[in-house]
């Protein structure tokens, strides 16, 4: 059905415009990334341009023909393109309904729509690629194909599992995720099953299984979808492309509707998205693309900066505007970011943007070296606690790491100091399926280990844990690749390391002692998700920013990651660190550990990416001319059990007190804080649900022989009846619902909230 799609390639985008003079004053420009210039719509088209810097103004007024905006981190790209659209609409040059702005996340599309409304440009469509394509597909399907559009499945992993069963290929949960990722990559790169093995090898992909098996699974997956009359998200793009290619009348109807296109994050487009964009455009060239090749960090999903870098080749008459004025970060942070790219190699590096900070000077980036990973986590946690005491809001602090498996150490360190945190882009360590399953296996071994043949040769606690977890997928050597199987192994390896550390600290400890320790850690690490320090992987931090950023684990083997072997993979790791650095507005802390665990051999070294940038690491090996306000920086050597922290100047902004969600009064009573309202303020509680919960609680208390409040207090039941949670995450956020109670009673409570009857014998003893 689909015609062959050709991926355009060619030489690099042409030379950008000359940088502006350094003497230009921008006193009227507001911070580009987190303040709005116009709380109300400006009163004229010219007013839309007020406050833009010269390059942003150039973007806003270049309304005809192709425009390529090379926008560095923090330079106000969203501001530039929304003002561009608004100026065109307010000046009568663009019709709102004829403009389609596309980006990659619903959050970004929503932000763009909000800004356009503030600027008086209602009626402009701002959508993701998938959303725009789905809307068109739903409208034209009856005309192009007939009947109604097949059902769209939100998640394809069950379909992949069914396809694997049909092929008699056994896949565990991690392998299912990896195989699903390979299918998604194949579809966005327009690779059919028969060509998968060759295409994957050419792309240098780390394949989780034999390529022939993946190709067979891919073909079976497509058969399963056809048999069930369903489509997935990639099909939305593929089918829209097919309709626009095969039905010229429909293509012309779409082109008559949309005559002006804006594409954000253009460095992340896949070949399939590029093909769809070309079909939307037809022979026209009213297109504005915005991107930064130095922020390409999703190549494993099929994203490529080639389309951005080839833009001038495809559009020889294009206007190219380079945004380099960084309104987000201090000169010190910008200097480090520029230094990272100055040492980069490859095509993206040839088009790097040298940022120029527009902010007042701030503190130099702090570099800290620790003897081991727990000491590194403790040092970061102590520094964070001091920042909180100085008035920095917890939500303005982030700890960024390379892999999700690193989170557990930082979760524990923050929990030990009573610092609230929230985990972004990943499950909590002890909520991960593999960790839950490993906990069950360890608990069983602790109870019945005497009859377990696996433990016959285990002479100490660490060897017992290794023996038990070997049945869950742990091996002495990590698996190849970088997907879910590797992440699962890293989670299990973290448990093995925990057992080693626990045994060293408590000689003679048994498996039962370790299980008790794990239970305590699970309980201690359940923290609120409101106003918490953000823990996030570098990938999930893209597009976000904080006042203070801790980049942790910046050592060889983790940054770059061990399995990054080719030059292209190494350079993507460098770009990933660059993204991490540019998330910081004011303060940046970079740290590494010399060994994994206390007492281990100190055979690690700081990341090669810091060579020539951190103090004492020699001259930079890259190109000269690193811009920004430099400085020697400072290094501090941390050590286990000591803070060794520089004093932090207090900030004006203080932590917000808990306030009643009804009247706004400050709450001090613990019970009121649990409800987030005053005791005498009106309640929107579901009285019937509250009574059902009380009846259920009475049964549980009677069965367990303990007072009712030991199950849940009245205040907690009231909070549940007011919130009416629908899933575990919502229930877990209610004060008084800890991990133990969530595991024991969560299913019952959610069932009652959903209106189901819970039998007396359903609860766990």
């Amino acid at each position: 059905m689909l015609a062959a799609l050709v991926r355009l390639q060619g030489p690099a985008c042409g030379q950008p415009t000359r940088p502006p003079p350094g003497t230009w004053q921008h006193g009227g420009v507001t911070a580009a990334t987190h303040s709005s210039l116009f709380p109300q719509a400006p009163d004229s088209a010219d007013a839309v341009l007020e406050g833009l810097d010269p390059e942003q103004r150039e973007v806003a007024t270049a309304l005809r023909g192709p425009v390529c905006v090379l926008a560095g981190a923090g330079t106000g790209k969203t501001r530039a393109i929304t003002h561009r659209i608004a100026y065109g609409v307010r000046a009568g040059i663009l019709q709102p309904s004829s403009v389609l702005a596309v980006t990659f996340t619903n959050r970004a599309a929503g932000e763009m729509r909000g800004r356009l409304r503030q600027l008086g440009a209602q009626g402009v469509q701002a959508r993701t690629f998938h959303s725009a394509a789905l809307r068109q597909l739903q409208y034209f399907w009856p005309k192009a194909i007939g009947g109604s559009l097949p059902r769209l499945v939100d998640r394809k992993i069950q379909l992949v599992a069914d396809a694997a069963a049909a092929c008699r290929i056994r896949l565990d949960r991690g392998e299912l995720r990896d195989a699903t990722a390979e299918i998604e990559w194949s579809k966005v790169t327009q690779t059919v099953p028969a060509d998968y093995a060759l295409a994957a090898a050419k792309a240098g992909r780390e394949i989780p299984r034999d390529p022939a098996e993946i190709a067979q699974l891919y073909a079976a997956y497509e058969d399963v979808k056809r048999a069930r009359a369903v489509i997935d998200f990639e099909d939305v793009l593929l089918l829209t492309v097919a309709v626009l290619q095969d039905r010229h009348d429909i293509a012309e109807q779409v082109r008559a509707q949309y005559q002006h296109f804006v594409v954000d994050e253009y460095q992340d487009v896949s070949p399939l998205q590029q093909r769809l964009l070309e079909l939307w455009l037809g022979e026209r060239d009213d297109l504005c693309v915005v991107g930064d090749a130095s922020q390409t960090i999703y190549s494993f999903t099929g994203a490529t900066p080639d389309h951005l870098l080839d833009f001038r080749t495809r559009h020889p008459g294009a206007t190219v505007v380079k945004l380099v004025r960084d309104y987000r970060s201090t000169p010190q942070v910008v200097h480090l970011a520029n230094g990272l790219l100055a040492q980069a190699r490859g095509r993206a590096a040839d088009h790097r943007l040298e940022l120029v900070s527009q902010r007042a000077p701030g503190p130099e980036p702090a570099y800290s070296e620790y003897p081991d990973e727990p000491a590194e986590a403790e040092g970061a946690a102590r520094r964070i606690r001091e920042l909180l005491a100085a008035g920095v809001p917890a939500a303005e602090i982030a700890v960024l790491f390379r892999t999700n498996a690193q989170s557990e150490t930082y979760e524990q360190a923050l929990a030990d100091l009573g610092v609230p945190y929230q985990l972004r882009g990943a499950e909590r360590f002890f909520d991960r399926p593999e960790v839950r399953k490993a906990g069950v296996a360890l608990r069983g071994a602790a109870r019945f280990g005497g009859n377990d043949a696996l433990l016959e040769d285990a002479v100490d606690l660490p060897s017992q844990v290794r023996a038990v977890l070997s049945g869950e997928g742990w091996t002495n050597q990590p698996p190849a690749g970088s997907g879910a199987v590797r992440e699962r192994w890293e989670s299990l390896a973290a448990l093995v390391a925990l057992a080693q550390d626990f045994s060293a600290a408590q000689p003679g400890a048994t498996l039962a002692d370790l299980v008790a320790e794990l239970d305590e850690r699970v309980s201690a690490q359940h923290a609120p998700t409101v106003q918490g320090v953000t823990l996030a992987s570098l990938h999930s931090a893209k597009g976000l920013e904080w006042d203070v950023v801790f980049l942790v684990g910046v050592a060889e083997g983790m940054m770059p990651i061990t399995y990054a072997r080719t030059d292209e993979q190494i350079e993507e790791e460098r770009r990933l660190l660059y993204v991490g650095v540019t998330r910081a507005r004011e303060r940046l802390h970079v740290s590494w550990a010399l060994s994994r665990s206390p007492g281990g051999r100190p055979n690690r070294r700081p990341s090669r990416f810091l060579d020539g940038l951190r103090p004492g690491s020699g001259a930079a090996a890259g190109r000269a001319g690193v811009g920004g306000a430099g400085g020697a920086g400072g290094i501090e050597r941390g050590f286990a059990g000591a803070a060794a922290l520089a004093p932090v100047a207090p900030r004006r902004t203080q932590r917000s007190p808990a306030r009643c969600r009804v009247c706004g009064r400050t709450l001090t009573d613990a019970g009121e804080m649990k409800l987030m309202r005053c005791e005498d303020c009106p309640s929107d509680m579901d009285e019937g649900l509250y009574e059902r919960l009380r009846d259920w609680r009475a049964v549980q208390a009677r069965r367990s022989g303990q007072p009712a409040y030991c199950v849940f207090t009245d205040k907690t039941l009231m909070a549940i009846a007011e919130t009416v949670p629908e899933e575990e995450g919502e229930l877990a956020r209610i004060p008084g619902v800890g991990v133990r109670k969530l595991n024991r009673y969560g299913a019952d409570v959610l069932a009652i909230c959903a209106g189901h009857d819970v039998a007396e014998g359903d609860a766990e003893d």
Side-chain angles (χ1 to χ4, degrees), residues 16-57:
T17 56
R18 183 181 299 276
T23 56
W24 181 76
Q25 299 298 313
H26 64 285
V29 179
T30 60
T33 54
H34 67 286
S35 71
S36 172
L37 182 62
F38 299 108
Q40 295 181 340
D43 57 10
S44 67
D46 287 340
V48 173
L49 302 178
E50 292 177 3
L52 299 182
D53 68 31
E55 293 77 32
Q56 292 171 345
R57 182 180 287 255

Side-chain angles (χ1 to χ4, degrees), residues 677 683-694 718 721-722 724:
R677 65 173 175 82
S683 169
D684 55 357
M685 181 178 69
D686 183 330
E687 296 285 351
L689 174 58
Y690 178 64
E691 290 305 321
R692 292 195 299 275
L693 288 170
R694 283 177 58 87
M718 291 175 68
E722 291 183 353
V724 193

Side-chain angles (χ1 to χ4, degrees), residues 136-193:
Q136 294 174 20
L137 198 60
Q138 289 170 330
Y139 183 81
F140 290 110
W141 186 268
K143 178 179 180 180
I145 309 298
S148 58
L149 183 69
R151 180 173 63 88
L152 176 64
V153 292
D154 292 333
R155 301 184 63 201
K156 59 174 67 70
I157 197 163
Q158 185 57 54
L159 296 178
V160 176
D162 294 343
C167 297
R168 298 187 177 181
I169 298 174
R170 298 187 62 182
L171 300 174
D172 62 25
R173 184 181 178 88
E175 290 170 324
L176 267 175
R177 285 172 54 197
D178 287 345
T180 301
E182 289 304 298
I183 291 173
E184 291 173 348
W185 174 82
S186 300
K187 298 184 79 165
V188 301
T189 56
Q190 302 157 91
T191 302
V192 298

Side-chain angles (χ1 to χ4, degrees), residues 44-296:
S44 67
D46 287 340
V48 173
L49 302 178
E50 292 177 3
L52 299 182
D53 68 31
E55 293 77 32
Q56 292 171 345
R57 182 180 287 255
E58 182 69 25
V59 173
T61 55
L63 293 172
R64 295 299 186 193
V67 178
C68 177
V69 183
L70 303 176
T75 57
K77 65 181 180 63
T78 304
R79 178 183 178 82
I81 58 178
T82 52
H83 281 67
R84 178 182 196 270
I85 295 170
Y87 176 71
V89 169
R90 299 294 297 276
I93 300 171
L94 303 177
Q95 292 300 315
S97 60
S98 72
V99 180
L100 177 59
V102 289
T103 186
F104 284 81
T105 67
N106 289 322
R107 181 183 63 81
E111 179 185 358
M112 194 176 294
R113 287 193 295 270
R115 293 198 188 194
L116 288 170
R117 282 194 300 271
Q118 286 183 342
L119 294 170
Q122 293 89 345
V124 174
Q125 292 294 315
R127 298 180 174 272
T128 64
F129 269 101
H130 285 88
S131 173
L134 179 60
R135 196 178 189 205
Q136 294 174 20
L137 198 60
Q138 289 170 330
Y139 183 81
F140 290 110
W141 186 268
K143 178 179 180 180
I145 309 298
S148 58
L149 183 69
R151 180 173 63 88
L152 176 64
V153 292
D154 292 333
R155 301 184 63 201
K156 59 174 67 70
I157 197 163
Q158 185 57 54
L159 296 178
V160 176
D162 294 343
C167 297
R168 298 187 177 181
I169 298 174
R170 298 187 62 182
L171 300 174
D172 62 25
R173 184 181 178 88
E175 290 170 324
L176 267 175
R177 285 172 54 197
D178 287 345
T180 301
E182 289 304 298
I183 291 173
E184 291 173 348
W185 174 82
S186 300
K187 298 184 79 165
V188 301
T189 56
Q190 302 157 91
T191 302
V192 298
D195 296 337
Y196 168 78
L198 181 61
K202 185 177 180 181
R205 292 186 70 77
E206 294 277 357
I207 302 174
R209 295 179 70 95
D210 181 86
E213 279 190 330
I214 297 294
Q216 180 187 8
L217 183 61
Y218 179 12
Y221 168 76
E222 294 298 319
D223 291 339
V224 168
K225 285 199 292 98
R226 279 191 290 270
R228 299 180 185 179
V230 298
I231 59 176
D232 60 28
F233 278 102
E234 289 73 38
D235 290 331
V236 170
L237 300 184
L238 285 164
L239 291 170
T240 306
V241 165
V243 167
L244 296 179
Q245 284 183 157
D246 297 346
R247 292 291 301 268
H248 296 291
D249 57 330
I250 293 177
E252 288 306 315
Q253 191 172 343
V254 171
R255 291 165 191 161
Q257 172 68 50
Y258 295 118
Q259 299 162 17
H260 193 92
F261 297 85
V262 177
V263 184
D264 193 13
E265 302 288 1
Y266 194 54
Q267 78 280 352
D268 288 334
V269 296
S270 68
L272 179 56
Q273 290 165 331
Q274 175 63 22
R275 180 57 183 151
L276 177 59
L277 178 61
E278 291 167 355
L279 288 166
W280 281 341
L281 276 166
E283 299 300 319
R284 299 164 303 169
D285 62 0
D286 278 336
L287 169 66
C288 174
V289 299
V290 188
D292 179 8
S294 296
Q295 295 189 68
T296 305

Side-chain angles (χ1 to χ4, degrees), residues 154-501:
D154 292 333
R155 301 184 63 201
K156 59 174 67 70
I157 197 163
Q158 185 57 54
L159 296 178
V160 176
D162 294 343
C167 297
R168 298 187 177 181
I169 298 174
R170 298 187 62 182
L171 300 174
D172 62 25
R173 184 181 178 88
E175 290 170 324
L176 267 175
R177 285 172 54 197
D178 287 345
T180 301
E182 289 304 298
I183 291 173
E184 291 173 348
W185 174 82
S186 300
K187 298 184 79 165
V188 301
T189 56
Q190 302 157 91
T191 302
V192 298
D195 296 337
Y196 168 78
L198 181 61
K202 185 177 180 181
R205 292 186 70 77
E206 294 277 357
I207 302 174
R209 295 179 70 95
D210 181 86
E213 279 190 330
I214 297 294
Q216 180 187 8
L217 183 61
Y218 179 12
Y221 168 76
E222 294 298 319
D223 291 339
V224 168
K225 285 199 292 98
R226 279 191 290 270
R228 299 180 185 179
V230 298
I231 59 176
D232 60 28
F233 278 102
E234 289 73 38
D235 290 331
V236 170
L237 300 184
L238 285 164
L239 291 170
T240 306
V241 165
V243 167
L244 296 179
Q245 284 183 157
D246 297 346
R247 292 291 301 268
H248 296 291
D249 57 330
I250 293 177
E252 288 306 315
Q253 191 172 343
V254 171
R255 291 165 191 161
Q257 172 68 50
Y258 295 118
Q259 299 162 17
H260 193 92
F261 297 85
V262 177
V263 184
D264 193 13
E265 302 288 1
Y266 194 54
Q267 78 280 352
D268 288 334
V269 296
S270 68
L272 179 56
Q273 290 165 331
Q274 175 63 22
R275 180 57 183 151
L276 177 59
L277 178 61
E278 291 167 355
L279 288 166
W280 281 341
L281 276 166
E283 299 300 319
R284 299 164 303 169
D285 62 0
D286 278 336
L287 169 66
C288 174
V289 299
V290 188
D292 179 8
S294 296
Q295 295 189 68
T296 305
I297 58 173
Y298 297 111
S299 64
F300 58 90
T301 67
T304 170
D306 289 346
H307 306 300
L308 175 67
L309 299 179
D310 291 340
F311 192 83
R312 176 63 72 83
T313 301
R314 296 194 307 276
H315 303 281
T319 299
V320 178
V321 183
K322 188 166 122 177
L323 301 183
V324 296
R325 301 177 193 271
D326 188 320
Y327 298 96
R328 175 189 299 160
S329 304
T330 64
Q332 287 73 18
V333 173
V334 166
H335 178 68
L336 177 57
N338 285 336
L340 285 171
L341 294 188
Q343 302 180 45
R345 294 175 295 177
R347 190 176 183 210
D350 291 337
H351 296 270
R352 68 187 181 94
L353 296 168
E354 190 168 304
L355 302 176
V356 181
S357 176
Q358 305 298 296
R359 295 196 55 182
E364 298 288 348
Y367 299 89
S368 301
E369 182 176 278
Y370 294 89
D372 52 67
E373 290 180 1
E376 183 181 8
E378 291 165 11
R382 289 192 190 95
R383 189 184 294 269
I384 288 170
R385 186 173 63 177
E386 290 199 355
L387 289 167
L388 296 177
V392 180
E396 289 298 346
I397 304 173
V399 178
L400 307 183
F401 35 74
R402 177 60 180 85
T403 69
N404 290 330
Q406 293 171 268
S407 71
E408 190 271 338
T409 304
Y410 291 89
E411 292 176 53
Q412 180 63 48
L414 291 172
D416 286 346
L417 295 182
V419 175
Y421 65 87
Q422 54 185 325
L423 202 57
R424 181 182 177 85
E427 299 164 293
R428 288 178 179 274
F429 180 81
F430 286 108
D431 287 344
R432 297 172 192 166
E434 64 270 19
V435 176
R436 283 177 175 266
K437 192 176 177 185
V440 171
L442 290 171
R443 196 167 283 106
R447 291 177 181 173
F448 312 109
N451 300 320
D452 194 338
L454 277 174
L455 302 181
E456 288 180 354
D457 298 326
V459 296
D460 57 14
L461 177 59
S463 59
Q464 288 176 333
V465 172
R466 287 193 292 268
V468 173
L469 296 188
S470 65
E472 304 301 323
W474 180 83
T475 57
N476 280 315
Q477 297 297 323
S482 58
V485 172
R486 174 77 181 219
E487 290 181 4
R488 186 185 65 180
W489 180 90
E490 288 172 340
S491 295
L492 297 178
L495 290 176
V496 171
L498 177 62
Q500 293 170 339
D501 296 343

